[in-house]
Amino acid sequence: QVQLQQWGAGLLKPSETLSLTCGVYDVSFSGYYWSWIRQPPGEGLEWIGEINHGGITNYNPSLKSRVTISADTSKNQFSLKLSSVTAADTAVYYCARGPARITIAGVVIMGFDPWGQGTLVTVSS
Amino acid sequence: DIQMTQSPSSLSASIGDRVIITCRASQDIRNNLGWYQQKPGTAPTRLVFTGPRLQSGVPSRFSGSGSGTEFTLTISSLQPEDFATYYCLQHNSYPLTFGGGTKVEI
């Protein structure tokens, strides 16, 4: 069964860089896109960006200037860095498999499944 | 960006009720929409994805329909474990966007 396990610092000061990593277990990293999604307390979901095993990334324009998503395929991991954080970046951050998988026939849209357990990141001085 | 408008934002229902949640896209997204369920303190889980196809293991009382700009998630007979918040997600074009959520309460 595919599992995603994420880790990283949960308390940051304004202007610091958020850094989270997601480990992928029991499935090949290649063949899929991998995403980060966040949810401010009591609010809805926001897609942050994605990466595939070839290192191709797509970011939400609302965060693009501050976001970097990278992957270490040898470790089956991918990471999120968000620079210059403010209180508005306080949220639960999730990693997830998706939104697509790569087949011989091309890219197949599948949505997000499964998700990591989530990490609450609080930005406070 | 494609705006996803979900309605209602919350609803009260009873066990056995038929529940319908609607999601409207600001432009045509074909059938590239999914539905997710989130219970308090946990990550969302996928219910329905492009097709609309039911996620393996999801009870058949859940169903998704629609294409273009109007979509619905129907729960045919509400069960105690269905009380949760539901989100739609369009994955037709970047940036991917979620609806604002519908909280289903007793």
Side-chain angles (χ1 to χ4, degrees):
Chain A
Q1 184 179 354
V2 181
Q3 289 187 37
L4 274 62
Q5 195 95 28
Q6 56 184 101
W7 61 90
L11 181 61
L12 297 174
K13 291 182 167 50
S15 79
E16 292 184 335
T17 295
L18 178 157
S19 182
L20 298 173
T21 298
C22 185
V24 177
Y25 304 95
D26 296 324
V27 70
S28 173
F29 193 81
S30 63
Y32 291 93
Y33 281 74
W34 305 88
S35 288
W36 289 96
I37 297 154
R38 71 179 184 177
Q39 184 173 38
E43 297 185 26
L45 298 158
E46 179 181 32
W47 177 75
I48 298 170
E50 68 184 12
I51 190 168
N52 69 9
H53 72 280
I56 296 174
T57 54
N58 287 295
Y59 300 132
N60 193 321
S62 67
L63 297 167
K64 187 174 183 177
S65 63
R66 299 192 291 130
V67 170
T68 302
I69 297 176
S70 59
D72 185 339
T73 56
S74 67
K75 294 182 179 179
N76 259 27
Q77 294 175 357
F78 63 109
S79 298
L80 168 70
K81 290 191 186 301
L82 181 66
S83 64
S84 304
V85 297
T86 70
D89 295 311
T90 293
V92 176
Y93 286 76
Y94 295 101
C95 59
R97 183 176 65 172
R101 60 186 172 91
I102 303 159
T103 71
I104 294 174
V107 174
V108 176
I109 303 297
M110 51 169 272
F112 298 117
D113 177 72
W115 297 55
Q117 80 275 21
T119 301
L120 174 61
V121 177
T122 302
V123 181
S124 175
S125 55
Chain B
D1 299 5
I2 296 176
Q3 306 303 313
M4 302 302 296
T5 302
Q6 242 180 281
S7 60
S9 57
S10 66
L11 64 91
S12 296
S14 300
I15 303 302
D17 283 354
R18 181 182 181 88
V19 170
I20 297 175
I21 299 168
T22 299
C23 210
R24 177 174 296 150
S26 60
Q27 57 187 271
D28 186 351
I29 60 170
R30 298 179 291 174
N31 65 350
N32 291 318
L33 182 118
W35 290 96
Y36 295 77
Q37 179 191 67
Q38 186 178 33
K39 296 182 179 179
T42 68
T45 58
R46 186 177 64 181
L47 295 175
V48 173
F49 56 112
T50 308
R53 288 174 282 176
L54 203 63
Q55 171 77 11
S56 174
V58 172
S60 59
R61 63 180 179 271
F62 289 93
S63 63
S65 64
S67 66
T69 61
E70 296 279 340
F71 300 85
T72 60
L73 174 71
T74 300
I75 309 173
S76 60
S77 177
L78 197 67
Q79 298 302 301
E81 59 269 31
D82 301 337
F83 290 97
T85 301
Y86 295 84
Y87 294 94
C88 61
L89 163 71
Q90 71 82 15
H91 38 66
N92 185 73
S93 58
Y94 293 110
L96 309 185
T97 46
F98 291 87
T102 296
K103 187 174 185 179
V104 177
E105 302 174 293
I106 300 175

